[in-house]
Amino acid sequence: MKKIKVGIVGGSGYTGIELLRLLSQHPYAEIVTITSRSDAGTHVADMYPSLRKRVDLVFQDPKDAPLKECDVVFFATPHGVAMSMARELVANGVKVIDLAADFRLKDLEAFKKWYKMDHACPEMMEKAVYGQPETMREQMKDAMIFGMAGCYPTSIELGLLPLLELHKRIGDIVDIKQTIIADSKSGISGAGKKASVSNLCAEASDNFKAYGVGGHRHSPEIVQQLTEFAGEPVSLSFIPHLLPTIRGIFSTIYVQLTRKGQEVNFQKVYEERYANEPFVDVMPQGALPETRMVRGSNYVRIALYRKEPNFLIILVVEDNLVKGASGQAVQAMNIAFGLPETSGLEQIALVP
Amino acid sequence: MKKIKVGIVGGSGYTGIELLRLLSQHPYAEIVTITSRSDAGTHVADMYPSLRKRVDLVFQDPKDAPLKECDVVFFATPHGVAMSMARELVANGVKVIDLAADFRLKDLEAFKKWYKMDHACPEMMEKAVYGQPETMREQMKDAMIFGMAGCYPTSIELGLLPLLELHKRIGDIVDIKQTIIADSKSGISGAGKKASVSNLCAEASDNFKAYGVGGHRHSPEIVQQLTEFAGEPVSLSFIPHLLPTIRGIFSTIYVQLTRKGQEVNFQKVYEERYANEPFVDVMPQGALPETRMVRGSNYVRIALYRKEPNFLIILVVEDNLVKGASGQAVQAMNIAFGLPETSGLEQIALVP
Amino acid sequence: MKKIKVGIVGGSGYTGIELLRLLSQHPYAEIVTITSRSDAGTHVADMYPSLRKRVDLVFQDPKDAPLKECDVVFFATPHGVAMSMARELVANGVKVIDLAADFRLKDLEAFKKWYKMDHACPEMMEKAVYGQPETMREQMKDAMIFGMAGCYPTSIELGLLPLLELHKRIGDIVDIKQTIIADSKSGISGAGKKASVSNLCAEASDNFKAYGVGGHRHSPEIVQQLTEFAGEPVSLSFIPHLLPTIRGIFSTIYVQLTRKGQEVNFQKVYEERYANEPFVDVMPQGALPETRMVRGSNYVRIALYRKEPNFLIILVVEDNLVKGASGQAVQAMNIAFGLPETSGLEQIALVP
Amino acid sequence: MKKIKVGIVGGSGYTGIELLRLLSQHPYAEIVTITSRSDAGTHVADMYPSLRKRVDLVFQDPKDAPLKECDVVFFATPHGVAMSMARELVANGVKVIDLAADFRLKDLEAFKKWYKMDHACPEMMEKAVYGQPETMREQMKDAMIFGMAGCYPTSIELGLLPLLELHKRIGDIVDIKQTIIADSKSGISGAGKKASVSNLCAEASDNFKAYGVGGHRHSPEIVQQLTEFAGEPVSLSFIPHLLPTIRGIFSTIYVQLTRKGQEVNFQKVYEERYANEPFVDVMPQGALPETRMVRGSNYVRIALYRKEPNFLIILVVEDNLVKGASGQAVQAMNIAFGLPETSGLEQIALVP
């Protein structure tokens, strides 16, 4: 089988090296170029010695890189880069997979408010698919532009999808007037690889804190999707916290049920909805997920709890750099090119 | 000043060594005996070399220890031990401070249900004070028996006290029909010092999980207090999680406000309620607590947030072994003996 | 290609789950049985949810397991188990790969001294191959019994192999009268998955200590090999330390050189010796290894330093559970069955 | 007793906050000013909320701070600052205690080589005392300038002091032609509080590495002292490593003994040498130090091992920010002002 030619823009951050880890083991993909303006000329394996003996590439300056000759280009860049290059790439038949926020928010005013920039190619938004394979598989098959869901959003959206779809279908399951609470905790790699005092090991290890309590950029993206799932406006209180772990997201989600909703067997609803999903695991009743159960793998694991009759508690774990970012992007690529969906994503979580 | 004579029963666990750390630096207390059935004859500093050059005691068998000659005896023991010895000690004029659950639940049926044992001295319950100095200071002055609040309960009870007291006083502040959510996270020392696979470093570090989702022993204790504060039944959904830190509790509490409640300036309410409390710190608007800000110290730090109009979010941190256990017990002792309340508790948090 | 039929005895410990992680992704192997006396009847994925959706096996009692029908049986058991079953398995044409110490020490008196048991099948020792693929590849091709090198020994033996081989070949390179120092540090998974107070997360995290200073079981195994490499007796001072990490071994090795040895270009010697080794990486001059550079992978990375003229400092990292145990065992299996040596071992280290 | 008036220059780093933690609990000291050029005007407790309710100071610009009115000024600054201000302060009768390197190296050429700057006040070097209270107590009583020993040097110098003093006194104990090896490991707070990628929590936690193998600034300082202790040139190979802990230094020191040295009872020599030292603990034979045994305290703990007859292994732990920096500086202040030497330094290590 001819291999897909892959380019990576912005390979020096954590989602970049994670793409390298996954794609260099991918049976049907070949990385032909990786760019980094600041590190052009550096051997990738000199920056990331974990790739020695496995990845033999040199960072190229973006202007020299043969991106237009690729079949697909991943953007592991800050917000704003992908949209500045998408038009030209797509015009050359190159698919664009953005791990940042450029193609996430349909409401361009909201985009401007949260990301402090105008959108560079609003006319491309219609061609862009936002979401996860589990929510947008069909649309991904023919799409040219992918706005991959963020790490927190994936955990919350997949955690609520079956519930809100059911609410939309049969109505009046969730007490929609009550705010859904998502108390989320993330490992520190979610903060990225840039020098900062607050993310120093001496500051962040053996510690736990909330942050972004006043408002987090991921909120509008999540509300947009939940509202779509539910078919009516959904209110969400999303509080992110910082874990002293390297990887992993754990979302504890609290939903108030209506009287009708209290009669539903949610365990069955979730198991059926995700029965054919290769990377979503609905754990059996009574089991409890842990972040290490997905460490380094593309799985999401979900457990459901009912303590008080009117409450559904949903526990979700994922690896923020895999299913929450680079793994999910590779999964989208597999779908977009008609490859087996699990190709290159079969790593089992590293336990212990 | 003549020093208070102190005994410690069950000194080999984490609350035991924490009592040793605090009391050995206490200006008005003298540890006269410490017991451990299994380690009788062992030098305390051989088991805990951090105490070398500072504590010169040998573990005594409880039956040989001069407990009745003490002014006060702390029980850092499993549930059930304090109540088996309290009657005799109190009869000899010795105050009893229990760090376990024997004197926490007024409902002895609930005690039996959760702790799987009959209460050994139900007639003493009336003489017992349960709670924190902040809630029961007056009663502590003359009490003979102290059922110290648990670690999770202290964080949640002090986090909600000003709000629920106000609700009781002026009515209709909290939407009492809606369940209060306490999403709590604890460092692993809360699990105690006993051999167990799930608390091994290879299992619990670089990991995060929920546990006891189906029901935790601390729930009835918390609900008992919240109901007392509010003057009417309060519903609570309490979900404990395990942090990969040694110490620290972080409780994120979500409360639904009534329309009247939405008009209240809670920042002011909390600051006033705790203005004279030496160990409760209401942080300024916009500040965010972190567990390390109380590491090794007796402080509780609280911050309040309003994101959605109908929601109050309360963030609370404490050190589970100090304010959540041994420190609070020493604070109670100080009150009970008329000592300056901060004696022996002036340690500043260890940062970084 | 017909798959190799694999059995695993004692699958509930850390080397057991690591074998499962590696072998379940192996293209030419099929796990036909896994045993655990205490957990017989339990689904493997119930004990290790990280294997959900990937491993569909139930622990069998060893006496019911079809071990004799396997092509190869791995022993991830305490010392003493493999030797009690090896004779019968080998008689049935089944290869035996032991991750414990039963087939490591040629000196059976030393075995008895350190492991407190008589050897159960001394006559099999001659058929047993001890060591790493890098030292014993040819012998492994036809062997029936494999005594895999321990985690510390692999790091020290591979770290010294090129040096001591050269010493043997051209003589008088190492000042053999001076003790070689191996200051080694291991992550806590090396202590195994059994309940113990000293390995609790509250004890071992945010901490560092030496242990086994008076003598460690791995010493005789290492000295046996070093002496063989050097062709004359070698003296070693091996001090193990415990790191607050889950995985990883870091050995800092100090060797005193003779005047002749000071003239050698060791960088070149090491690069040439390991040029064709798929899993040994001699890092370029000036680079420094870190344990995370091999986390979850089968690589060993080595760097060489000369500060003082008469001293060679060798820094070695490996993942104690992969190259130090289960990965190396799979590598041996690949050799023994004529499979591509890297089959099932191509995982890239998890960074960050 | 009238309190000592203390100034702190450069209070925003880790040794700065550690001085605040210690001095704010000191019975005979009063912090009258703390400076920070970049944070002038900021409340200290806003930057370090762990000090809320305890420290009520505002960072001052150095040029506005009443440093000349202090009795003593601590410099918790980068190298080069103290020497630029020392002359004027000393002329005003203010004692200067520098935690950086300005007054450590007697060889000003070496200073220039390692710190890339000329010395600003070479004529003051004679008045400066370098070292620890344990080595320079008498000289400290009248000194005006203190060059406090660094964190690594303190662990190695105190670890070797009794041995080398004996060597000097009775001769020929240590095989002085053989290099002494100090394999040292430090927690990450030793790297200071400045933004850097390599010290991010996602990089440095769950990891272990060596660094500065080619040469570390602390080497000349250590060799200077060891040579003084021994009375003849001492050769040292010092390899620093980075621990994934916040605090703590662990030095494993290997010394080759002469035949005469092998007859010495070093346990006795060390116990006698340090018998009256309040902060040095020679652990009993067979005991092993751990970094947590000194976490947050001013103690050094030392253990001695003999495995091979010709080798003495010395294990030393200290908290790099206390005994390795700020605590030792306060101890020096106590000596210099005739205060009880343990004043303000009685914190017991935080265990667990």
Side-chain angles (χ1 to χ4, degrees), chain D residues 136-156:
Chain D
M136 300 291 279
R137 185 171 283 110
E138 282 312 307
Q139 295 87 329
M140 286 181 169
K141 287 180 181 169
D142 300 310
M144 289 305 289
I145 301 185
F146 298 75
M148 300 309 302
C151 49
Y152 283 121
T154 292
S155 71
I156 298 168

Side-chain angles (χ1 to χ4, degrees), chain C residues 7 32 67 80 107 142 183 187 192 199 213 235 261-262 307 311 320:
Chain C
V32 297
L67 295 171
D107 177 347
D142 301 310
D183 190 290
N199 295 329
V213 174
S235 156
Q262 295 177 30
K307 285 176 67 173
F311 249 102
N320 56 304

Side-chain angles (χ1 to χ4, degrees), chain B residues 15-51:
Chain B
T15 53
I17 181 182
E18 192 69 354
L19 283 170
L20 286 168
R21 183 177 74 95
L22 298 171
L23 290 168
S24 64
Q25 300 181 73
H26 196 293
Y28 310 119
E30 181 196 357
I31 308 170
V32 297
T33 181
I34 179 163
T35 79
S36 168
R37 203 178 306 274
S38 53
D39 296 298
T42 300
H43 270 269
V44 167
D46 285 349
M47 178 180 293
Y48 287 113
S50 57
L51 301 172

